[in-house]
Amino acid sequence: MTANTKPLIAILDYGIGNLHSAQKGFEHAGADARLTADRGLIDDADGVVLPGVGAFAPCMAALGRTGLDAAARDAAGSGRPFMGICVGMQVLFAGSDEAPGIPGLGILDRGVRWIPGPVKRPQMQWNILDRRLDHPMLDGLDDPVWAYFVHSLAPEMGDGTDVVATCDYGGPVVAAVARGNVWAAQFHPEKSSRVGLRILANFVAAAGRRAG
């Protein structure tokens, strides 16, 4: 990638949800963002994004049907920046309470659980991110960091070593994780205004550094 070339971000197109909103968000953040199921383009991209909305089982079925489950695993294991968003975050884990017996991609260990306690599900609101790690995902953002959520489940906390941020919804709920080159957000950066655009721009910058 030259200084005048935008990082190429492959957004995995497996027919689930409004993928164009994710594409537009990354374009606004400075990427050459393309919706694609083409394995060659995915393998050549500077960064790869797995969005997702709806439910765990249909997302896993669509990934398997399109062959993008293997592409996602390979991209996450390649060292290039990789990001899961909303249900695209949840399918990175081993499995979900929403779909017992259906394995996730297993890129991140542990499971995804229903949000506990006497709270309304889904959480459908703006909420504040509570930082747990100093991570490039949240670079350049001053507290309070507001993000937009629509979800009924979230990853387990585990030992907390990869939890970038939580939010308070009847207790701490995992909102973002990162392990090596893999970033994941339970909230919707593409719907989170200035905060979301900065998070997407931080990912694009990471992809640019990797490509350069």
Side-chain angles (χ1 to χ4, degrees), residues 155-173:
E156 293 175 300
M157 186 74 71
D159 62 11
T161 57
D162 60 5
V163 177
V164 174
T166 59
C167 67
D168 183 6
Y169 194 65
V173 174

Side-chain angles (χ1 to χ4, degrees), residues 14 16-17 19 50-55 59 84-89 188 190:
Y14 60 114
I16 294 290
L19 301 176
L50 176 58
V53 297
C59 284
I85 296 173
C86 195
V87 181
M89 172 190 190
H188 285 275
E190 76 280 8

